[in-house]
Amino acid sequence: MQRSQTSFHADPNQVYQPAEDSFLLLKTAKSEVKPSDRVLEIGVGSGYVSSGLLSSCQLLVATDKNPHAATIAYASGVPVVRTNLAAGLRGPFDLILFNPPYLPTDPSERIDDWLELALDGGPSGRDVIIRFLQEIPSLLSSEGRVLLLISSLTGPEEVEDLVRKNGFVSTPVAEERVEGGEILLILRLTRC
Amino acid sequence: MKRELYDILCCPVCKGDLELVVKEENDVEILTGSLICHACSVTYPIEEGIPNLLPQNI
């Protein structure tokens, strides 16, 4: 479903455009999703992943804090809520997808625009992942699954440790080497 | 936003129920309106089909 242009002028340059990580997440989500699933994508960006799953599940909703991303994803037919991670949403969801800001970013490197919000994972790269892991227990159904994309730059072992501390088990389900030797990794999380 | 979305929205601060007030709606969805948290006395806007549940400056 295409929607008509809105009066808010959304700037695509302020939105993370689909890249290797988005492609890997959609591919993995397509093999994970079931027709009965209620799906939540946090940080919808351009809408690439969510719009690719709309017809494969019972319900899908996506969030983004960035007004440019929310408007562009909505225009591509994705039901969007502007909120911080999933603050304004109530579960339970059966499948939660998150391609978080995972790049380690020193405060001196910050430029403070909307695009940076999609990339900046704080000094360790894990700041947003920590907040996410605290929120998901109240959002996920008892048999629910999470697909979390991280990178070799994010510290996969540290992330898996954080996952365990928050009451989840993680299994790597996809891996891809990208330019510069960075490795993208998708972790599938379920309750212990 | 479609009306079915209303069931899964809550106040981002207190997680309580929101009251839905519709100003403009077409055959498919709500285009303009408000989501009100009475416990927090905060009104969250729905503009151009998108509910905004970010903290509001009062």
Side-chain angles (χ1 to χ4, degrees), chain B residues 16-47:
Chain B
D17 292 340
L18 297 165
E19 184 197 343
L20 173 64
V21 177
V22 178
K23 280 195 200 127
E24 190 189 355
E25 186 173 12
N26 63 19
D27 294 345
V28 183
E29 60 183 346
I30 298 158
L31 299 171
T32 313
S34 310
L35 292 157
I36 303 162
C37 176
H38 292 290
C40 300
S41 302
V42 175
T43 299
Y44 298 95
I46 304 167
E47 287 164 348

PDB file of all heavy atoms in Angstrom, chain B residues 16-47:
ATOM      1  N   GLY B  16       0.055   3.426  31.375  1.00  0.00           N
ATOM      2  CA  GLY B  16      -1.391   3.304  31.554  1.00  0.00           C
ATOM      3  C   GLY B  16      -2.153   3.454  30.243  1.00  0.00           C
ATOM      4  O   GLY B  16      -1.571   3.698  29.179  1.00  0.00           O
ATOM      5  N   ASP B  17      -3.481   3.301  30.341  1.00  0.00           N
ATOM      6  CA  ASP B  17      -4.351   3.400  29.163  1.00  0.00           C
ATOM      7  C   ASP B  17      -4.397   4.833  28.640  1.00  0.00           C
ATOM      8  O   ASP B  17      -4.265   5.797  29.388  1.00  0.00           O
ATOM      9  CB  ASP B  17      -5.780   2.965  29.527  1.00  0.00           C
ATOM     10  CG  ASP B  17      -5.846   1.478  29.831  1.00  0.00           C
ATOM     11  OD1 ASP B  17      -4.925   0.749  29.410  1.00  0.00           O
ATOM     12  OD2 ASP B  17      -6.805   1.062  30.507  1.00  0.00           O
ATOM     13  N   LEU B  18      -4.661   4.930  27.350  1.00  0.00           N
ATOM     14  CA  LEU B  18      -4.809   6.230  26.695  1.00  0.00           C
ATOM     15  C   LEU B  18      -6.229   6.358  26.180  1.00  0.00           C
ATOM     16  O   LEU B  18      -6.821   5.376  25.740  1.00  0.00           O
ATOM     17  CB  LEU B  18      -3.828   6.332  25.516  1.00  0.00           C
ATOM     18  CG  LEU B  18      -2.339   6.273  25.859  1.00  0.00           C
ATOM     19  CD1 LEU B  18      -1.517   6.012  24.594  1.00  0.00           C
ATOM     20  CD2 LEU B  18      -1.878   7.558  26.535  1.00  0.00           C
ATOM     21  N   GLU B  19      -6.762   7.589  26.202  1.00  0.00           N
ATOM     22  CA  GLU B  19      -8.062   7.828  25.583  1.00  0.00           C
ATOM     23  C   GLU B  19      -7.829   8.309  24.154  1.00  0.00           C
ATOM     24  O   GLU B  19      -6.988   9.183  23.914  1.00  0.00           O
ATOM     25  CB  GLU B  19      -8.836   8.888  26.364  1.00  0.00           C
ATOM     26  CG  GLU B  19     -10.243   9.095  25.814  1.00  0.00           C
ATOM     27  CD  GLU B  19     -10.895  10.392  26.284  1.00  0.00           C
ATOM     28  OE1 GLU B  19     -10.411  10.970  27.277  1.00  0.00           O
ATOM     29  OE2 GLU B  19     -11.863  10.814  25.644  1.00  0.00           O
ATOM     30  N   LEU B  20      -8.564   7.727  23.220  1.00  0.00           N
ATOM     31  CA  LEU B  20      -8.406   8.095  21.806  1.00  0.00           C
ATOM     32  C   LEU B  20      -9.459   9.118  21.406  1.00  0.00           C
ATOM     33  O   LEU B  20     -10.655   8.915  21.613  1.00  0.00           O
ATOM     34  CB  LEU B  20      -8.556   6.832  20.942  1.00  0.00           C
ATOM     35  CG  LEU B  20      -8.585   7.018  19.423  1.00  0.00           C
ATOM     36  CD1 LEU B  20      -7.265   7.565  18.890  1.00  0.00           C
ATOM     37  CD2 LEU B  20      -8.911   5.690  18.734  1.00  0.00           C
ATOM     38  N   VAL B  21      -9.007  10.247  20.864  1.00  0.00           N
ATOM     39  CA  VAL B  21      -9.915  11.261  20.328  1.00  0.00           C
ATOM     40  C   VAL B  21      -9.583  11.425  18.841  1.00  0.00           C
ATOM     41  O   VAL B  21      -8.444  11.747  18.497  1.00  0.00           O
ATOM     42  CB  VAL B  21      -9.746  12.616  21.067  1.00  0.00           C
ATOM     43  CG1 VAL B  21     -10.651  13.678  20.459  1.00  0.00           C
ATOM     44  CG2 VAL B  21     -10.023  12.456  22.553  1.00  0.00           C
ATOM     45  N   VAL B  22     -10.574  11.156  17.992  1.00  0.00           N
ATOM     46  CA  VAL B  22     -10.341  11.203  16.543  1.00  0.00           C
ATOM     47  C   VAL B  22     -10.835  12.524  15.975  1.00  0.00           C
ATOM     48  O   VAL B  22     -11.958  12.937  16.210  1.00  0.00           O
ATOM     49  CB  VAL B  22     -11.070  10.026  15.843  1.00  0.00           C
ATOM     50  CG1 VAL B  22     -10.866  10.098  14.331  1.00  0.00           C
ATOM     51  CG2 VAL B  22     -10.568   8.701  16.380  1.00  0.00           C
ATOM     52  N   LYS B  23      -9.960  13.201  15.227  1.00  0.00           N
ATOM     53  CA  LYS B  23     -10.369  14.439  14.556  1.00  0.00           C
ATOM     54  C   LYS B  23     -10.639  14.196  13.083  1.00  0.00           C
ATOM     55  O   LYS B  23     -11.539  14.775  12.502  1.00  0.00           O
ATOM     56  CB  LYS B  23      -9.267  15.502  14.690  1.00  0.00           C
ATOM     57  CG  LYS B  23      -9.250  16.208  16.037  1.00  0.00           C
ATOM     58  CD  LYS B  23      -8.401  17.488  15.982  1.00  0.00           C
ATOM     59  CE  LYS B  23      -7.995  17.912  17.390  1.00  0.00           C
ATOM     60  NZ  LYS B  23      -6.562  18.111  17.548  1.00  0.00           N
ATOM     61  N   GLU B  24      -9.813  13.358  12.459  1.00  0.00           N
ATOM     62  CA  GLU B  24      -9.940  13.124  11.014  1.00  0.00           C
ATOM     63  C   GLU B  24      -9.623  11.654  10.746  1.00  0.00           C
ATOM     64  O   GLU B  24      -8.624  11.129  11.211  1.00  0.00           O
ATOM     65  CB  GLU B  24      -8.916  14.025  10.297  1.00  0.00           C
ATOM     66  CG  GLU B  24      -9.086  14.072   8.796  1.00  0.00           C
ATOM     67  CD  GLU B  24      -7.906  14.802   8.114  1.00  0.00           C
ATOM     68  OE1 GLU B  24      -7.031  15.343   8.816  1.00  0.00           O
ATOM     69  OE2 GLU B  24      -7.876  14.779   6.878  1.00  0.00           O
ATOM     70  N   GLU B  25     -10.539  11.010   9.990  1.00  0.00           N
ATOM     71  CA  GLU B  25     -10.366   9.586   9.730  1.00  0.00           C
ATOM     72  C   GLU B  25     -10.856   9.292   8.315  1.00  0.00           C
ATOM     73  O   GLU B  25     -11.841   9.860   7.871  1.00  0.00           O
ATOM     74  CB  GLU B  25     -11.216   8.804  10.753  1.00  0.00           C
ATOM     75  CG  GLU B  25     -11.052   7.307  10.711  1.00  0.00           C
ATOM     76  CD  GLU B  25     -11.796   6.603  11.861  1.00  0.00           C
ATOM     77  OE1 GLU B  25     -12.622   7.264  12.541  1.00  0.00           O
ATOM     78  OE2 GLU B  25     -11.562   5.416  12.068  1.00  0.00           O
ATOM     79  N   ASN B  26     -10.169   8.415   7.580  1.00  0.00           N
ATOM     80  CA  ASN B  26     -10.690   7.986   6.280  1.00  0.00           C
ATOM     81  C   ASN B  26     -11.154   6.535   6.372  1.00  0.00           C
ATOM     82  O   ASN B  26     -11.272   6.000   7.482  1.00  0.00           O
ATOM     83  CB  ASN B  26      -9.648   8.213   5.173  1.00  0.00           C
ATOM     84  CG  ASN B  26      -8.378   7.376   5.374  1.00  0.00           C
ATOM     85  OD1 ASN B  26      -8.382   6.394   6.107  1.00  0.00           O
ATOM     86  ND2 ASN B  26      -7.305   7.776   4.714  1.00  0.00           N
ATOM     87  N   ASP B  27     -11.389   5.878   5.256  1.00  0.00           N
ATOM     88  CA  ASP B  27     -11.911   4.503   5.265  1.00  0.00           C
ATOM     89  C   ASP B  27     -10.945   3.525   5.915  1.00  0.00           C
ATOM     90  O   ASP B  27     -11.339   2.464   6.383  1.00  0.00           O
ATOM     91  CB  ASP B  27     -12.169   4.024   3.826  1.00  0.00           C
ATOM     92  CG  ASP B  27     -13.284   4.812   3.170  1.00  0.00           C
ATOM     93  OD1 ASP B  27     -14.015   5.491   3.921  1.00  0.00           O
ATOM     94  OD2 ASP B  27     -13.396   4.762   1.939  1.00  0.00           O
ATOM     95  N   VAL B  28      -9.672   3.874   5.916  1.00  0.00           N
ATOM     96  CA  VAL B  28      -8.637   2.944   6.343  1.00  0.00           C
ATOM     97  C   VAL B  28      -8.166   3.210   7.770  1.00  0.00           C
ATOM     98  O   VAL B  28      -7.996   2.293   8.565  1.00  0.00           O
ATOM     99  CB  VAL B  28      -7.424   3.025   5.374  1.00  0.00           C
ATOM    100  CG1 VAL B  28      -6.352   2.021   5.751  1.00  0.00           C
ATOM    101  CG2 VAL B  28      -7.867   2.840   3.936  1.00  0.00           C
ATOM    102  N   GLU B  29      -7.970   4.492   8.089  1.00  0.00           N
ATOM    103  CA  GLU B  29      -7.282   4.771   9.350  1.00  0.00           C
ATOM    104  C   GLU B  29      -7.537   6.178   9.878  1.00  0.00           C
ATOM    105  O   GLU B  29      -8.123   7.019   9.209  1.00  0.00           O
ATOM    106  CB  GLU B  29      -5.779   4.548   9.163  1.00  0.00           C
ATOM    107  CG  GLU B  29      -5.193   5.451   8.093  1.00  0.00           C
ATOM    108  CD  GLU B  29      -3.713   5.189   7.844  1.00  0.00           C
ATOM    109  OE1 GLU B  29      -3.092   4.508   8.662  1.00  0.00           O
ATOM    110  OE2 GLU B  29      -3.200   5.703   6.847  1.00  0.00           O
ATOM    111  N   ILE B  30      -7.042   6.376  11.099  1.00  0.00           N
ATOM    112  CA  ILE B  30      -7.138   7.674  11.759  1.00  0.00           C
ATOM    113  C   ILE B  30      -5.961   8.532  11.292  1.00  0.00           C
ATOM    114  O   ILE B  30      -4.810   8.102  11.361  1.00  0.00           O
ATOM    115  CB  ILE B  30      -7.087   7.499  13.296  1.00  0.00           C
ATOM    116  CG1 ILE B  30      -8.272   6.654  13.772  1.00  0.00           C
ATOM    117  CG2 ILE B  30      -7.064   8.857  13.998  1.00  0.00           C
ATOM    118  CD1 ILE B  30      -8.052   5.992  15.116  1.00  0.00           C
ATOM    119  N   LEU B  31      -6.259   9.727  10.801  1.00  0.00           N
ATOM    120  CA  LEU B  31      -5.205  10.591  10.282  1.00  0.00           C
ATOM    121  C   LEU B  31      -4.762  11.633  11.304  1.00  0.00           C
ATOM    122  O   LEU B  31      -3.580  11.933  11.438  1.00  0.00           O
ATOM    123  CB  LEU B  31      -5.682  11.288   8.998  1.00  0.00           C
ATOM    124  CG  LEU B  31      -6.034  10.341   7.851  1.00  0.00           C
ATOM    125  CD1 LEU B  31      -6.691  11.089   6.708  1.00  0.00           C
ATOM    126  CD2 LEU B  31      -4.794   9.589   7.361  1.00  0.00           C
ATOM    127  N   THR B  32      -5.747  12.222  11.992  1.00  0.00           N
ATOM    128  CA  THR B  32      -5.432  13.256  12.970  1.00  0.00           C
ATOM    129  C   THR B  32      -6.241  12.998  14.226  1.00  0.00           C
ATOM    130  O   THR B  32      -7.415  12.628  14.151  1.00  0.00           O
ATOM    131  CB  THR B  32      -5.812  14.653  12.409  1.00  0.00           C
ATOM    132  OG1 THR B  32      -5.310  14.774  11.087  1.00  0.00           O
ATOM    133  CG2 THR B  32      -5.245  15.769  13.264  1.00  0.00           C
ATOM    134  N   GLY B  33      -5.624  13.216  15.370  1.00  0.00           N
ATOM    135  CA  GLY B  33      -6.332  13.022  16.622  1.00  0.00           C
ATOM    136  C   GLY B  33      -5.396  13.150  17.794  1.00  0.00           C
ATOM    137  O   GLY B  33      -4.300  13.719  17.670  1.00  0.00           O
ATOM    138  N   SER B  34      -5.849  12.636  18.931  1.00  0.00           N
ATOM    139  CA  SER B  34      -5.034  12.717  20.142  1.00  0.00           C
ATOM    140  C   SER B  34      -5.138  11.421  20.917  1.00  0.00           C
ATOM    141  O   SER B  34      -6.137  10.707  20.845  1.00  0.00           O
ATOM    142  CB  SER B  34      -5.534  13.835  21.062  1.00  0.00           C
ATOM    143  OG  SER B  34      -5.695  15.025  20.372  1.00  0.00           O
ATOM    144  N   LEU B  35      -4.110  11.163  21.689  1.00  0.00           N
ATOM    145  CA  LEU B  35      -4.107  10.064  22.649  1.00  0.00           C
ATOM    146  C   LEU B  35      -3.821  10.718  24.002  1.00  0.00           C
ATOM    147  O   LEU B  35      -2.772  11.333  24.188  1.00  0.00           O
ATOM    148  CB  LEU B  35      -3.033   9.040  22.280  1.00  0.00           C
ATOM    149  CG  LEU B  35      -3.319   8.266  20.988  1.00  0.00           C
ATOM    150  CD1 LEU B  35      -2.036   7.713  20.377  1.00  0.00           C
ATOM    151  CD2 LEU B  35      -4.310   7.124  21.257  1.00  0.00           C
ATOM    152  N   ILE B  36      -4.786  10.592  24.904  1.00  0.00           N
ATOM    153  CA  ILE B  36      -4.669  11.337  26.168  1.00  0.00           C
ATOM    154  C   ILE B  36      -4.400  10.385  27.326  1.00  0.00           C
ATOM    155  O   ILE B  36      -5.109   9.393  27.513  1.00  0.00           O
ATOM    156  CB  ILE B  36      -5.968  12.123  26.438  1.00  0.00           C
ATOM    157  CG1 ILE B  36      -6.265  13.052  25.248  1.00  0.00           C
ATOM    158  CG2 ILE B  36      -5.861  12.940  27.731  1.00  0.00           C
ATOM    159  CD1 ILE B  36      -7.688  13.539  25.200  1.00  0.00           C
ATOM    160  N   CYS B  37      -3.360  10.711  28.110  1.00  0.00           N
ATOM    161  CA  CYS B  37      -3.121   9.981  29.361  1.00  0.00           C
ATOM    162  C   CYS B  37      -3.656  10.850  30.489  1.00  0.00           C
ATOM    163  O   CYS B  37      -3.078  11.904  30.791  1.00  0.00           O
ATOM    164  CB  CYS B  37      -1.639   9.691  29.566  1.00  0.00           C
ATOM    165  SG  CYS B  37      -1.348   8.905  31.176  1.00  0.00           S
ATOM    166  N   HIS B  38      -4.767  10.408  31.080  1.00  0.00           N
ATOM    167  CA  HIS B  38      -5.371  11.217  32.151  1.00  0.00           C
ATOM    168  C   HIS B  38      -4.534  11.162  33.428  1.00  0.00           C
ATOM    169  O   HIS B  38      -4.465  12.138  34.165  1.00  0.00           O
ATOM    170  CB  HIS B  38      -6.812  10.755  32.401  1.00  0.00           C
ATOM    171  CG  HIS B  38      -7.717  11.072  31.238  1.00  0.00           C
ATOM    172  ND1 HIS B  38      -8.088  12.360  30.925  1.00  0.00           N
ATOM    173  CD2 HIS B  38      -8.268  10.272  30.297  1.00  0.00           C
ATOM    174  CE1 HIS B  38      -8.859  12.334  29.834  1.00  0.00           C
ATOM    175  NE2 HIS B  38      -8.983  11.079  29.431  1.00  0.00           N
ATOM    176  N   ALA B  39      -3.875  10.028  33.669  1.00  0.00           N
ATOM    177  CA  ALA B  39      -3.057   9.901  34.881  1.00  0.00           C
ATOM    178  C   ALA B  39      -1.907  10.913  34.877  1.00  0.00           C
ATOM    179  O   ALA B  39      -1.575  11.492  35.902  1.00  0.00           O
ATOM    180  CB  ALA B  39      -2.511   8.479  34.995  1.00  0.00           C
ATOM    181  N   CYS B  40      -1.298  11.120  33.703  1.00  0.00           N
ATOM    182  CA  CYS B  40      -0.159  12.049  33.596  1.00  0.00           C
ATOM    183  C   CYS B  40      -0.591  13.442  33.127  1.00  0.00           C
ATOM    184  O   CYS B  40       0.260  14.336  33.051  1.00  0.00           O
ATOM    185  CB  CYS B  40       0.886  11.514  32.618  1.00  0.00           C
ATOM    186  SG  CYS B  40       1.599   9.920  33.057  1.00  0.00           S
ATOM    187  N   SER B  41      -1.876  13.597  32.770  1.00  0.00           N
ATOM    188  CA  SER B  41      -2.378  14.860  32.189  1.00  0.00           C
ATOM    189  C   SER B  41      -1.540  15.284  30.978  1.00  0.00           C
ATOM    190  O   SER B  41      -1.097  16.437  30.881  1.00  0.00           O
ATOM    191  CB  SER B  41      -2.377  15.995  33.223  1.00  0.00           C
ATOM    192  OG  SER B  41      -3.154  15.650  34.320  1.00  0.00           O
ATOM    193  N   VAL B  42      -1.326  14.335  30.069  1.00  0.00           N
ATOM    194  CA  VAL B  42      -0.538  14.631  28.866  1.00  0.00           C
ATOM    195  C   VAL B  42      -1.321  14.195  27.630  1.00  0.00           C
ATOM    196  O   VAL B  42      -1.962  13.138  27.629  1.00  0.00           O
ATOM    197  CB  VAL B  42       0.828  13.889  28.890  1.00  0.00           C
ATOM    198  CG1 VAL B  42       1.593  14.085  27.592  1.00  0.00           C
ATOM    199  CG2 VAL B  42       1.685  14.371  30.053  1.00  0.00           C
ATOM    200  N   THR B  43      -1.290  15.035  26.601  1.00  0.00           N
ATOM    201  CA  THR B  43      -1.932  14.705  25.329  1.00  0.00           C
ATOM    202  C   THR B  43      -0.861  14.439  24.279  1.00  0.00           C
ATOM    203  O   THR B  43       0.006  15.283  24.039  1.00  0.00           O
ATOM    204  CB  THR B  43      -2.829  15.874  24.869  1.00  0.00           C
ATOM    205  OG1 THR B  43      -3.829  16.074  25.864  1.00  0.00           O
ATOM    206  CG2 THR B  43      -3.497  15.569  23.542  1.00  0.00           C
ATOM    207  N   TYR B  44      -0.929  13.259  23.691  1.00  0.00           N
ATOM    208  CA  TYR B  44       0.003  12.891  22.622  1.00  0.00           C
ATOM    209  C   TYR B  44      -0.720  13.030  21.291  1.00  0.00           C
ATOM    210  O   TYR B  44      -1.824  12.500  21.129  1.00  0.00           O
ATOM    211  CB  TYR B  44       0.473  11.441  22.808  1.00  0.00           C
ATOM    212  CG  TYR B  44       1.219  11.212  24.105  1.00  0.00           C
ATOM    213  CD1 TYR B  44       0.558  10.734  25.239  1.00  0.00           C
ATOM    214  CD2 TYR B  44       2.576  11.495  24.199  1.00  0.00           C
ATOM    215  CE1 TYR B  44       1.238  10.538  26.438  1.00  0.00           C
ATOM    216  CE2 TYR B  44       3.265  11.293  25.388  1.00  0.00           C
ATOM    217  CZ  TYR B  44       2.593  10.821  26.494  1.00  0.00           C
ATOM    218  OH  TYR B  44       3.271  10.622  27.681  1.00  0.00           O
ATOM    219  N   PRO B  45      -0.113  13.725  20.323  1.00  0.00           N
ATOM    220  CA  PRO B  45      -0.808  13.941  19.049  1.00  0.00           C
ATOM    221  C   PRO B  45      -0.727  12.756  18.077  1.00  0.00           C
ATOM    222  O   PRO B  45       0.245  11.994  18.099  1.00  0.00           O
ATOM    223  CB  PRO B  45      -0.073  15.146  18.465  1.00  0.00           C
ATOM    224  CG  PRO B  45       1.305  15.073  19.036  1.00  0.00           C
ATOM    225  CD  PRO B  45       1.181  14.416  20.381  1.00  0.00           C
ATOM    226  N   ILE B  46      -1.765  12.631  17.248  1.00  0.00           N
ATOM    227  CA  ILE B  46      -1.682  11.774  16.054  1.00  0.00           C
ATOM    228  C   ILE B  46      -1.715  12.742  14.884  1.00  0.00           C
ATOM    229  O   ILE B  46      -2.682  13.491  14.738  1.00  0.00           O
ATOM    230  CB  ILE B  46      -2.884  10.804  15.946  1.00  0.00           C
ATOM    231  CG1 ILE B  46      -3.021   9.946  17.199  1.00  0.00           C
ATOM    232  CG2 ILE B  46      -2.760   9.929  14.691  1.00  0.00           C
ATOM    233  CD1 ILE B  46      -4.346   9.193  17.287  1.00  0.00           C
ATOM    234  N   GLU B  47      -0.650  12.767  14.096  1.00  0.00           N
ATOM    235  CA  GLU B  47      -0.581  13.690  12.964  1.00  0.00           C
ATOM    236  C   GLU B  47      -0.199  12.931  11.713  1.00  0.00           C
ATOM    237  O   GLU B  47       0.758  12.157  11.724  1.00  0.00           O
ATOM    238  CB  GLU B  47       0.466  14.792  13.236  1.00  0.00           C
ATOM    239  CG  GLU B  47      -0.005  15.804  14.262  1.00  0.00           C
ATOM    240  CD  GLU B  47       1.124  16.660  14.835  1.00  0.00           C
ATOM    241  OE1 GLU B  47       2.299  16.320  14.617  1.00  0.00           O
ATOM    242  OE2 GLU B  47       0.802  17.652  15.507  1.00  0.00           O
TER     243      GLU B  47
END
